Amino acid sequence: MLRFYLEVARTAFRRQLIYRWANLAGLSANVFFAIIFSYVIIALYHARPAVAGYDVRDTLRYSWLMQALLMIVLPFSWNDLMQTIRTGDVVSDLSKPCDFYIYWFSREMGRNVYYMLFRGLPTYAVGMLLFQLGIPLSWQSWLVFALVLPVGSMLGIAYRILYNVVAFWIIEARAMMTFAITIAQFLTGMYVPIPLLPAWLQGIVDWLPFHGFMDLPVEVLLGKIAGGVLAFDVLRQLGWLLVLTLGVQLLTGVAKQRVIAQGG
């Protein structure tokens, strides 16, 4: 069965290779918004040399890394599962001799690997060229980053499958998708870096699953979180991963009782 899921992931990766122009357009959008954010950040740091322990280079790196990770962790307007529910094609997925959630999880992991190679790395490379960002040189940070990024990726998959499953109950669920994505992007630090938020709001965000999506991997790579604090953060996000996964499995189980397919 593991081989089946690996093949699903490989097929999803290869499918994405077909959409070269779409990826180029998306890459251009990531770079465009990162440039805008960069000049806003530079203007901010003209007034103050450091904010919350971040200098201008730290914050620029943070913003470009966020743009690089966006499609890996939280692709905007992802409604693939929702569309299969609306068209009825989901019945085919539910009837497959495999776990419904792990099947979709495998598909998205294959896509995530593609986006890491063809969207994430090129996005940050452009930032390095335009703003001389450089890269963090601590091998310890890279090692921990390589461990926490998959957790963020898995959290993102569980979250977006969760709001897509709502389509079993709501015929037009795109509004829910937009709401879920907007909330997630704010609380992950896409709009305003989490370290620049007021302390009371940071304290709330740290306890939410969104902290583990992108903010935690980025702060780890920048060397801002380490030691016991890091260990506690990782355990907390693993707990959220378990909760979200069980939530999806529960809702999917309930939804199966509601599915009616023509002809049986």
Side-chain angles (χ1 to χ4, degrees), residues 5-254:
Y5 294 126
L6 290 174
E7 187 61 28
V8 169
R10 188 177 72 88
T11 301
F13 177 88
R14 294 181 62 185
R15 184 185 298 117
Q16 290 302 126
L17 291 172
I18 299 172
Y19 305 109
R20 297 182 183 89
W21 288 106
N23 183 66
L24 182 60
L27 175 61
S28 300
N30 285 134
V31 170
F32 174 76
F33 284 109
I35 291 173
I36 292 177
F37 290 148
S38 294
Y39 283 113
V40 172
I41 289 167
I42 291 170
L44 168 67
Y45 280 92
H46 279 161
R48 296 180 60 179
V51 180
Y54 278 64
D55 59 21
V56 65
R57 172 167 289 191
D58 287 338
T59 311
L60 286 174
R61 282 178 173 175
Y62 185 102
S63 295
W64 280 90
L65 284 168
M66 280 287 176
Q67 286 294 328
L69 296 181
L70 177 59
M71 288 300 293
I72 301 171
V73 177
L74 196 65
F76 191 74
S77 298
W78 185 85
N79 62 355
D80 292 13
L81 174 55
M82 190 182 299
Q83 290 296 330
T84 68
I85 296 172
R86 293 187 62 183
T87 62
D89 292 338
V90 71
V91 174
S92 174
D93 293 337
L94 289 171
S95 63
K96 287 183 173 70
C98 62
D99 183 89
F100 178 78
Y101 173 73
I102 301 179
Y103 168 74
W104 275 93
F105 177 89
S106 301
R107 285 184 53 165
E108 291 310 298
M109 285 302 290
R111 284 163 50 107
N112 288 352
V113 173
Y114 169 85
Y115 281 124
M116 179 179 67
L117 296 175
F118 295 99
R119 184 73 68 85
L121 294 178
T123 296
Y124 192 77
V126 172
M128 292 175 62
L129 291 174
L130 294 179
F131 295 94
Q132 293 77 52
L133 299 180
I135 58 174
L137 298 178
S138 170
W139 67 267
Q140 294 94 335
S141 296
W142 279 101
L143 177 61
V144 180
F145 175 77
L147 296 175
V148 298
L149 179 59
V151 176
S153 176
M154 289 186 283
L155 281 167
I157 292 172
Y159 179 71
R160 60 184 184 261
I161 291 179
L162 185 63
Y163 68 70
N164 269 251
V165 168
V166 173
F168 278 114
W169 289 270
I170 303 175
I171 296 177
E172 181 49 77
R174 284 179 294 183
M176 177 63 71
M177 175 192 70
T178 302
F179 176 76
I181 288 291
T182 301
I183 292 297
Q185 288 191 334
F186 176 77
L187 294 176
T188 54
M190 276 299 305
Y191 301 139
V192 180
I194 299 300
L196 305 188
L197 295 176
W200 65 269
L201 185 53
Q202 286 188 49
I204 295 174
V205 172
D206 285 348
W207 279 96
L208 298 176
F210 308 106
H211 170 56
F213 283 21
M214 294 183 285
D215 178 62
L216 179 58
V218 169
E219 291 202 64
V220 163
L221 188 57
L222 296 178
K224 303 297 183 179
I225 301 179
V229 174
L230 173 61
F232 181 72
D233 271 347
V234 172
L235 288 174
R236 184 162 51 191
Q237 296 308 318
L238 287 173
W240 272 115
L241 179 59
L242 177 62
V243 169
L244 291 177
T245 301
L246 291 177
V248 173
Q249 294 282 30
L250 176 62
L251 286 178
T252 303
V254 174

